[in-house]
């Protein structure tokens, strides 16, 4: 019998309640079982991904989406390594954040606990299945996954392997579920009785659609318009290497730089060298009038306009603007940035401090590539997504984004009337050891 989505969500919630009670060792054993099973199933997973990629090419998929869809042996191995990294992380559940005596025999605790059930809707990026499932299990949460239609075969094989592994452990396999049709997205967004958090990973329009069509809390980011500012005191060799890496190491990623800001004093020395290396990597350059005046004699550089400053290319395209000061760079970033990741290259500590303090983004970097904005690179083991919201969690979201807390109060017949009125007994409010 085919289960309804409501039934699937109900199963996931029940499994999540069982998972929430498991000790750390049981969850870590489940993660190791997943890693081993994924290694065994690698040929089937890669074959399914090859079929997805072939079908996507036949439908003329956009190159950035294709890059995310393709699951190479190296990428799969890295994702499996990430599962084992998650197992090594401290268990985020059951941590005592507050331990306080309100009065003799009346003890308050605040403890971390799982959210419950998380729904994650993501683009054609099958390795996200591995990252999200491992973080969900470690944090004691059930998860309902919905990948892009281009990755259906890949996601199906991955979840099959994960559920096969869980069947050998104390973690119920129904804690990890996969949806495969677009119609199920709307159904999922309506299940506020069973789903505690929705994490959309996709285009600006899609994230907005999710936010507008659910009463479930949503964690996510719509755009990844990242900037790199080359200050007047930057070391040119360092600046060129960081620029090339930030743009070309993986241009489809949301933390790839889209706009390069260059101080006018260093632009004549920096830009030709940077342009040479960028175009050698196949990058299309778009510049303002000042940058084109410097580069157009030797390089092909198209005119940039207002739309370029507002665009997340996720491709080998880079817009360039020359600014006359650090303040102008910061102003541009705070005007056009999406709050994702912004970086400065400078040897001036004062300028770096001003940039790090005044730029409004989840990640602000000094003398390093924007591509470091990643849960795995931060030591989170993996990430469920990236949030550009002001309220936490912010930036790459690992285990902490899947955890909430509850208050436990234990007394011995205590009543509030004792502490009210003219003869009210005072509270002791004495903090106890954790």
């Amino acid at each position: 019998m085919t289960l309804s989505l409501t039934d699937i969500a109900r199963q996931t919630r029940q499994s999540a309640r069982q998972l929430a009670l498991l000790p750390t060792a049981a969850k870590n054993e489940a993660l190791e079982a997943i890693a081993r099973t994924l290694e065994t199933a690698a040929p089937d997973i890669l074959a399914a991904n090859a079929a997805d990629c072939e079908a996507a090419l036949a439908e003329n998929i956009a190159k950035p989406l294709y890059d995310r869809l393709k699951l190479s042996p190296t990428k799969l191995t890295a994702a499996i390594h990430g599962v084992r990294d998650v197992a090594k992380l401290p268990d985020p559940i059951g941590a005592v954040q507050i331990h306080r005596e309100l009065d003799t025999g009346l003890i308050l605790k605040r403890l971390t606990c799982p959210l419950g059930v998380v729904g994650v809707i993501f683009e054609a990026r099958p390795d996200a299945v591995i990252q999200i499932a491992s973080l969900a299990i470690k944090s004691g949460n059930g998860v309902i996954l919905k990948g892009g239609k281009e990755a259906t075969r890949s996601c199906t094989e991955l979840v099959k392997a994960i559920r096969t592994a869980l069947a050998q452990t104390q973690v119920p396999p129904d804690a990890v579920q996969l949806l495969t049709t677009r119609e199920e997205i709307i159904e999922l967004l309506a299940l506020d009785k069973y789903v505690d958090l929705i994490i959309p990973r996709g285009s600006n329009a899609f994230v907005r659609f999710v936010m507008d069509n659910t009463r479930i809390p949503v964690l996510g980011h719509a755009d990844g318009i990242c900037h790199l500012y080359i200050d007047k005191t930057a070391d040119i060799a360092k600046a060129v290497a960081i620029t090339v890496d930030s743009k070309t190491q993986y241009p489809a990623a949301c933390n790839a730089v889209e706009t390069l800001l260059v101080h006018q004093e260093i632009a004549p020395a920096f830009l030709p060298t940077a342009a040479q290396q960028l175009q050698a990597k196949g990058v299309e350059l778009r510049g303002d009038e000042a940058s084109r005046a410097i580069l157009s004699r030797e390089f092909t550089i198209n005119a940039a306009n207002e739309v370029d400053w507002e665009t997340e290319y996720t491709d080998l395209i880079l817009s360039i603007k020359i600014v006359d000061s650090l303040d102008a760079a910061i102003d541009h970033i705070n005007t056009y940035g999406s709050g994702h990741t912004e970086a400065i290259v400078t040897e001036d500590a004062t300028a770096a401090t001003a940039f790090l303090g005044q730029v409004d983004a989840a990640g602000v970097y000094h003398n390093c590539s924007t591509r470091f904005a990643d849960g795995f690179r931060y030591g989170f083991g993996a990430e469920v997504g990236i949030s550009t919201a002001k309220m936490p969690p912010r930036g790459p979201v690992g285990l902490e984004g899947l955890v909430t807390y509850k208050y436990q109060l234990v007394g011995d017949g205590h009543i509030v009337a004792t502490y009210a009125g003219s003869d009210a007994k005072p509270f002791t409010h004495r903090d106890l050891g954790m």
Side-chain angles (χ1 to χ4, degrees), residues 27 47 55 60 63 128 168 177 198 221 235 242 293 353 383 428:
K27 293 187 288 187
N60 297 314
K63 186 178 183 301
Q168 308 164 32
Q177 305 276 6
I198 293 288
H221 77 283
D235 177 286
I242 291 171
T353 299
E383 67 184 32
T428 59

Side-chain angles (χ1 to χ4, degrees), residues 46 52 81 122 138 158 176 237 240-241 253 290 298 313 322 380 400:
L46 293 173
D52 280 336
H81 183 69
F122 53 97
K138 182 75 177 198
L158 287 166
V176 179
V240 170
E298 296 182 56
Y313 303 116
I322 292 179
F380 298 166
E400 81 286 350

Side-chain angles (χ1 to χ4, degrees), residues 78-79 81-83 85-86 89 131 134-135 375-383:
H81 183 69
V83 176
D85 282 343
V86 171
L89 295 174
Q131 297 179 22
S134 60
L135 289 170
F376 175 76
R377 296 186 181 102
Y378 280 9
F380 298 166
E383 67 184 32

Side-chain angles (χ1 to χ4, degrees), residues 10 12 19 48 58 86 111 149 151 153 163 192 263 288 293 321 373 417 422 427:
R10 189 181 295 115
T12 310
L19 171 57
V86 171
L111 301 101
K149 64 182 179 64
R153 299 175 186 86
R163 287 171 62 92
D192 54 298
H263 194 286
D288 66 351
K321 181 178 182 180
S422 58
F427 290 103

Side-chain angles (χ1 to χ4, degrees), residues 125-350:
R125 186 176 174 179
D127 56 320
V129 169
I130 303 172
Q131 297 179 22
I132 295 163
S134 60
L135 289 170
I137 289 168
K138 182 75 177 198
S139 59
N141 290 285
V143 63
I144 301 175
L145 300 159
K146 171 62 180 79
K149 64 182 179 64
E150 301 86 355
T152 298
R153 299 175 186 86
S154 306
C155 294
T156 299
E157 285 297 325
L158 287 166
V159 172
K160 176 184 174 183
I162 290 169
R163 287 171 62 92
T164 297
L166 295 181
Q168 308 164 32
T169 73
Q170 296 181 57
V171 176
D174 284 341
V176 179
Q177 305 276 6
L178 177 68
L179 309 182
T180 57
T181 68
R182 182 169 294 178
E183 292 72 23
E184 289 170 313
I185 294 175
I186 292 295
E187 289 186 69
L188 177 64
L189 296 180
L191 294 176
D192 54 298
K193 182 177 179 181
Y194 300 105
V195 180
D196 300 284
L197 180 68
I198 293 288
I199 304 176
R201 297 175 60 168
S203 68
N204 185 319
F206 176 68
V207 174
R208 297 296 179 196
F209 171 83
V210 169
M211 291 177 173
D212 291 342
N213 287 275
T214 188
R215 292 183 296 180
I216 303 169
V218 177
L219 183 154
H221 77 283
D223 287 318
I225 303 176
C226 304
H227 299 78
L228 179 64
Y229 167 56
I230 310 302
D231 189 42
K232 62 183 179 181
T233 66
D235 177 286
I236 290 180
K238 191 183 297 182
V240 170
I242 291 171
T243 301
V244 172
D245 186 82
S246 295
K247 179 71 257 183
T248 70
Q249 197 275 331
Y250 186 27
C254 58
N255 56 15
V257 69
E258 307 293 12
T259 297
L260 179 67
L261 302 173
V262 185
H263 194 286
Q264 62 185 13
E265 291 185 24
I266 200 172
F270 164 77
L271 277 177
T273 303
Q276 182 179 36
Q277 294 198 26
L278 287 165
Q279 292 200 333
K281 295 279 189 177
V283 178
E284 174 191 335
L285 302 179
R286 300 178 183 179
D288 66 351
E289 185 176 346
S291 60
R292 293 177 69 217
I294 294 172
L295 294 175
S296 59
R297 291 183 181 178
E298 296 182 56
F299 304 94
T300 300
I301 178 168
N302 299 315
N305 56 39
E306 186 74 11
V307 174
D308 288 292
W309 313 138
E310 300 171 343
T311 299
E312 179 184 14
Y313 303 116
T314 61
D315 203 351
L316 288 171
I317 304 171
L318 181 67
S319 58
I320 303 172
K321 181 178 182 180
I322 292 179
V323 294
D324 60 10
S325 66
L326 170 66
D327 288 341
I330 293 172
D331 182 63
H332 180 98
I333 291 170
N334 287 339
T335 300
Y336 296 100
S338 59
H340 194 298
T341 305
E342 313 291 0
I344 181 174
V345 181
T346 185
E347 298 304 305
D348 182 343
T350 301

